[in-house]
Amino acid sequence: MMEVEGRVALIGHPVGHSLSPAMHNRAFEKLGLAWRYSAYEVRPKDLPAAMEGLLALGFRGWNVTIPHKEAACRLVDELSDEAAEIGAVNTVSVQHGRLVGYNTDGWGYVQSLKEETGMAPEGKICALIGAGGAARGIAHALLREGADVWVFARRSEQADRLASALRRVGPGRIDSREWGQLRRRLGDVNLCVNATPIGMTPHRDAMPFDPGWTREDCVISDIVYNPRETRLLRKARELGRATCDGVGMFVFQGAAAFRIWTGLAAPVPAMRETVEELLDLRAAEGGPDA
Ligand code: NAP
């Protein structure tokens, strides 16, 4: 049963430029809920005390962002299958006084991919560029959908580690691939995802790979969402490739958290509109990255 009033939060370091408070508060307003979402700066050493404090204060749940996603796994009473397999929590829900940890990043990514490109990942070969926290969630969700995932990272040990950690997930298969072979291998993939920060400040003029290396029917996806159209996506669009930007992943991970907390379907269009408006405003002001 949904509470009439509720408080939820974001904890991370830094959180000052986060778009989550505006996105969630707009969603609560849209559905006429007396809920409120606020962001709190929490340094790593203070994470256990912050989570205990939010529980004691009666918060219904919270999002967890950089650098706390892994540490939060060890501070909850229970983990969803995804969070346990990914090894990171981005959403905590208070259920009967117990903390349950979820990871909605990967689901958010796949939902956005399906909605924006119509692609069904099952049976597809997906190249993932980068092997950090976001890549882990995306790889997990693609594997669950039945896609095969090839992980490329400039540090081969990082790509190997990600592939080994998720090898048992299935039904798709995951393997690391050599960074030096990127150009040759991209001709064999159906989807290519940038999961590095290349494309955002200070790497705005850079691309992680040339979309011209892919087949004409390959979908090019970038999880960077500030700027909304990165150089990679612009070039991919000019080449006639289908593209998927990072705004959808951000909105849908939030929509999944919204549903976990409130039990209600999130007003996704209103959330997306809020995020896009803020990104456009920041771009016009030449302001900080989101
Ligand atoms: P992360 O954990 O730091 O991982 C970044 C990955 O990119 C690492 O594999 C890193 O390799 C690699 N990388 C960084 N700079 C590189 C370069 N110049 N050349 C090649 N590889 C490079 O970061 P993350 O949390 O996964 O986030 C990655 C990006 O996704 C960020 O830009 C973030 O804003 C974005 N993101 C978007 C969403 C969304 O909802 N749309 C969600 C999460 C993250 P090294 O370890 O060798 O540096």
Side-chain angles (χ1 to χ4, degrees):
M1 174 71 89
M2 207 231 344
E3 308 268 329
V4 176
E5 289 186 2
R7 281 175 298 160
V8 284
L10 169 68
I11 52 176
H13 184 69
V15 294
H17 299 139
S18 172
L19 301 168
S20 291
M23 175 174 79
H24 281 285
N25 286 326
R26 173 87 175 87
F28 295 142
E29 188 192 347
K30 179 84 185 165
L31 297 195
L33 301 178
W35 282 50
R36 194 78 203 150
Y37 185 113
S38 344
Y40 298 99
E41 279 301 328
V42 174
R43 287 168 301 172
K45 72 175 182 51
D46 297 324
L47 183 65
M51 289 185 39
E52 275 177 33
L54 290 170
L55 176 64
L57 288 167
F59 277 68
R60 305 291 305 138
W62 49 91
N63 282 136
V64 178
T65 189
I66 287 172
H68 304 315
K69 289 185 180 184
E70 286 84 18
C73 272
R74 298 184 289 277
L75 295 171
V76 295
D77 299 305
E78 196 182 321
L79 288 170
S80 70
D81 289 349
E82 285 83 6
E85 287 170 2
I86 295 166
V89 158
N90 79 330
T91 302
V92 173
S93 163
V94 179
Q95 296 172 12
H96 309 293
R98 286 165 53 79
L99 301 186
V100 186
Y102 298 85
N103 192 308
T104 67
D105 284 333
W107 182 85
Y109 175 75
V110 167
Q111 199 59 27
S112 152
L113 178 74
K114 287 178 178 172
E115 177 160 294
E116 276 156 52
T117 69
M119 179 183 233
E122 188 178 0
K124 304 291 193 306
I125 300 176
C126 306
L128 198 49
I129 317 300
R136 200 170 265 248
I138 291 168
H140 184 275
L142 288 170
L143 291 167
R144 279 279 183 91
E145 291 277 331
D148 287 347
V149 178
W150 296 353
V151 187
F152 294 87
R154 61 181 172 181
R155 290 185 294 120
S156 59
E157 71 277 12
Q158 194 189 34
D160 293 344
R161 221 172 25 246
L162 195 162
S164 316
L166 298 184
R167 195 144 281 142
R168 296 220 193 105
V169 172
R173 287 165 305 178
I174 184 164
D175 272 304
S176 54
R177 294 279 186 257
E178 288 194 23
W179 185 246
Q181 302 244 316
L182 186 58
R183 179 175 189 154
R184 193 168 69 75
R185 293 280 195 174
L186 285 194
D188 295 327
V189 308
N190 308 104
L191 167 70
C192 192
V193 189
N194 175 40
T196 77
I198 299 172
M200 61 189 286
T201 307
H203 314 286
R204 269 187 188 238
D205 294 330
M207 293 193 299
F209 59 92
D210 185 334
W213 298 345
T214 63
R215 293 182 345 202
E216 282 182 9
D217 60 353
C218 180
V219 173
I220 307 293
S221 170
D222 200 334
I223 67 165
V224 169
Y225 54 85
N226 189 14
R228 277 168 64 188
E229 187 174 65
T230 56
R231 177 147 182 248
L232 172 70
L233 291 188
R234 189 168 68 245
K235 176 142 191 217
R237 178 172 54 77
E238 286 164 4
L239 288 169
R241 305 286 191 276
T243 61
C244 177
D245 69 26
V247 173
M249 173 179 175
F250 180 76
V251 170
F252 280 109
Q253 64 74 34
F258 185 98
R259 177 159 214 142
I260 288 167
W261 295 324
T262 66
L264 300 174
V268 170
M271 292 165 80
R272 182 188 287 274
E273 192 182 273
T274 304
V275 171
E276 290 182 348
E277 276 171 13
L278 278 172
L279 287 172
D280 289 347
L281 195 67
R282 288 183 188 182
E285 288 171 346
D289 285 343

